[in-house]
Amino acid sequence: MISRWKRAARGVAFVLSAVALAAPATADEGSRGRELYGFCRQCHMDNGAGNPLYLAPNIAGLPEWYVARQLDKFHSGIRGTNFDDVAGMRMRPVGIWLEKESDRKAVAAYVASLPIVEPAPTLVGGDPERGKALYAPCSACHGPDAKGMEALGAPALDHQDDWYLLTQLEHFKSGIRGSKPQDVQGAQMRPMAMLLADEQAMKDVIAYIMTLGGAPKTAKE
Amino acid sequence: MIERFLPVASTYAGDIDFVFDLIFWTVGFWFLLAQGVFFWLLVRFRKRDGVRAQYVTGELKSEKRFITIPHALVLVCDVFIVFFAIRVWYDVKQHLPEAQQTVRVVAQQWAWSFVQPGPDGRLDTADDIKTVDELHVQVGTTYHFQLVSRDVVHSFSVPVFRLKQDVIPGRVITGWFEPTRTGTFDIQCAEICGIGHGYMPGRIVIETAEQHAAWMASHSNREIAAASGPAAGGR
């Protein structure tokens, strides 16, 4: 009687082990990234277009290396641990949750695979003509067409939300972002943001960046 | 009893444990007694040949007493528990001892951040020390905390203090604690506040006077340096 129960228990254990071992083998990185993106879509939406209500920017089609790097920064606390960075602190749990580097890379690959979504303009009052001149220093790293350069650690800006660009420029300027010693790329951005004297200058340069993507060029007043 | 599993680190944690124990043992006594009587009745009056089952309506005085006497005794126990619970509730929630320090606790989706006075001892001045995830306090000091939320309802929970207080957007809720032992302990959010609720970790670091003074000095210097330069702000 006992041996029969033992045999049955062994059989169940074998089947469970086989299922557990088979699962990772059949799941490629893409499906892993899609599965993990389930957490992200709560704020960044299914298509990665983001939602300003949740302070979540458009991430659809961002370069994989850039998304992976930012996730690493949220994971290690380089981003998302500043008292005044409300949106960053909302991202921090995602960085903590994505404990394995391989998972962060899988999510980054999935985000990069999402089709680009042209953001709707929300800012008013920016002058792209003035912005074009102000953009000159930015083009050294982000490129003349704002497509970004991986070698310089500069992401593409041409399909980014204008409200997010403004927030990040303000954060770089005030030191909310980029003031951690470990944040090498952030430290490079800080002096660049300081070149923009005031909010008007930031809006101007953002208005010019918006002309480089395929988004509608002006926000509704 | 609960202190075997969770350290006691505030002046009122022992009082709350006492109420916990009181409820546990009082309710536990009645639970075991009721279960004991129940099983005794099952065995004592089990099916026997030649004995017919009897339908008891519970209307006779001799039958009613099996309900009324335990009921009265349970009510006495309730009053006993409520008496001690109200006393502890008053001490923890209603009574506000004079503060030696005041800290602001800021809840948001999904992080705890803290503001404490710098060397001037006052909040909302240039030398305030702002931290994220970590609250540093001094053992043996009475603190007032001001709870504020940046977004939704949270709950400030420090298990070793036996402290739990909801944080309501638009309100400043004041409470108090006095740490009694040094160490580093958890701060939790005890109110479901969104998808990142489970990843909202905070730590409270309870230090000796010397350790706390050293921490204050190191952070005050950094903040003042940061405030005086172009890179003002940040942790």
Side-chain angles (χ1 to χ4, degrees):
Chain A
M1 181 73 177
I2 291 171
S3 64
R4 201 170 64 187
W5 281 110
K6 270 186 181 173
R7 273 203 305 276
R10 275 186 199 142
V12 170
F14 174 77
V15 170
L16 289 176
S17 316
V19 169
L21 289 170
T26 55
D28 57 26
E29 195 175 79
S31 64
R32 177 72 178 153
R34 191 184 312 119
E35 180 192 336
L36 293 168
Y37 187 76
F39 197 152
C40 320
R41 73 160 53 94
Q42 306 292 330
C43 298
H44 290 282
M45 318 312 285
D46 282 344
N47 62 354
N51 188 336
L53 188 66
Y54 303 141
L55 308 175
N58 181 1
I59 54 172
L62 274 176
E64 183 179 339
W65 59 267
Y66 177 73
V67 179
R69 181 177 290 162
Q70 299 313 305
L71 286 173
D72 287 346
K73 287 183 181 180
F74 282 113
H75 175 74
S76 62
I78 294 173
R79 280 188 76 181
T81 52
N82 186 290
F83 184 86
D84 296 307
D85 188 5
V86 174
M89 282 196 271
R90 281 186 158 192
M91 260 303 287
R92 184 83 201 288
V94 184
I96 297 170
W97 176 64
L98 292 168
E99 204 174 344
K100 292 181 191 166
E101 193 183 353
S102 58
D103 283 347
R104 297 196 288 276
K105 282 185 173 166
V107 173
Y110 181 73
V111 169
S113 75
L114 291 171
I116 284 172
V117 179
E118 293 301 342
T122 59
L123 298 179
V124 292
D127 180 350
E129 282 304 312
R130 278 202 304 262
K132 187 175 181 180
L134 292 168
Y135 183 75
C138 319
S139 67
C141 295
H142 290 282
D145 50 4
K147 300 284 182 211
M149 288 191 223
E150 182 178 355
L152 298 171
L157 306 171
D158 55 340
H159 302 292
Q160 191 48 269
D161 286 310
D162 54 5
W163 61 266
Y164 180 74
L165 291 175
L166 181 62
T167 307
Q168 295 310 302
L169 282 172
E170 285 169 345
H171 282 189
F172 279 121
K173 198 167 176 179
S174 63
I176 293 172
R177 185 174 172 187
S179 56
K180 292 268 168 82
Q182 309 95 315
D183 191 358
V184 178
Q185 296 78 21
Q188 289 172 335
M189 261 304 291
R190 291 211 58 218
M192 293 296 113
M194 283 175 203
L195 292 175
L196 300 168
D198 51 24
E199 188 180 313
Q200 184 57 50
M202 293 185 202
K203 282 184 171 179
D204 291 344
V205 81
I206 291 166
Y208 175 67
I209 292 169
M210 294 298 280
T211 66
L212 301 174
K217 306 306 176 210
T218 52
K220 287 177 185 166
E221 292 279 353
Chain B
M1 185 179 63
I2 200 168
E3 65 276 6
R4 289 189 192 169
F5 307 101
L6 191 63
V8 169
S10 75
T11 47
Y12 50 65
D15 296 338
I16 289 175
D17 285 357
F18 168 73
V19 175
F20 181 90
D21 288 349
L22 183 69
I23 294 169
F24 179 86
W25 291 116
T26 309
V27 174
F29 168 76
W30 285 106
F31 174 76
L32 291 176
L33 187 67
Q35 295 299 308
V37 170
F38 176 68
F39 282 104
W40 178 77
L41 289 172
L42 281 179
V43 174
R44 172 73 180 78
F45 298 103
R46 66 186 180 278
K47 184 175 181 294
R48 286 197 175 96
D49 291 339
V51 179
R52 289 189 64 192
Q54 186 186 351
Y55 182 71
V56 179
T57 60
E59 287 167 337
L60 298 174
K61 205 172 180 182
S62 60
E63 294 166 349
K64 278 184 187 173
R65 67 184 178 193
F66 282 94
I67 300 297
T68 51
I69 292 172
H71 189 192
L73 291 172
V74 166
L75 280 178
V76 169
C77 291
D78 276 351
V79 170
F80 194 61
I81 288 171
V82 167
F83 171 77
F84 283 103
I86 287 177
R87 213 185 59 166
V88 174
W89 178 265
Y90 175 81
D91 285 345
V92 177
K93 298 282 188 178
Q94 303 291 315
H95 166 68
L96 200 60
E98 198 171 334
Q100 293 169 279
Q101 277 282 4
T102 301
V103 294
R104 183 170 300 136
V105 178
V106 185
Q108 76 149 79
Q109 291 175 317
W110 292 279
W112 294 103
S113 39
F114 308 94
V115 186
Q116 32 192 332
D120 68 356
R122 288 182 297 128
L123 275 176
D124 300 319
T125 56
D127 68 349
D128 283 356
I129 300 172
K130 296 176 178 178
T131 57
V132 175
D133 293 344
E134 266 191 15
L135 172 62
H136 286 250
V137 294
Q138 183 180 321
V139 71
T141 304
T142 304
Y143 282 85
H144 280 190
F145 57 81
Q146 299 174 351
L147 285 177
V148 292
S149 169
R150 279 170 162 162
D151 38 46
V152 298
V153 177
H154 299 271
S155 183
F156 180 59
S157 165
V158 186
V160 291
F161 286 178
R162 313 294 192 267
L163 167 64
K164 197 181 280 179
Q165 174 62 55
D166 277 3
V167 194
I168 314 292
R171 289 178 64 179
V172 179
I173 296 173
T174 304
W176 72 281
F177 60 79
E178 183 184 331
T180 53
R181 62 180 285 179
T182 57
T184 302
F185 306 101
D186 287 340
I187 295 173
Q188 302 170 333
C189 179
E191 182 71 52
I192 299 281
C193 60
I195 194 167
H197 167 72
Y199 294 91
M200 195 171 157
R203 304 287 274 168
I204 185 162
V205 184
I206 307 171
E207 301 161 322
T208 62
E210 295 76 28
Q211 288 168 334
H212 191 62
W215 180 85
M216 290 278 286
S218 65
H219 280 69
S220 300
N221 290 339
R222 194 163 69 185
E223 290 299 313
I224 290 164
S228 61
R235 176 186 167 195

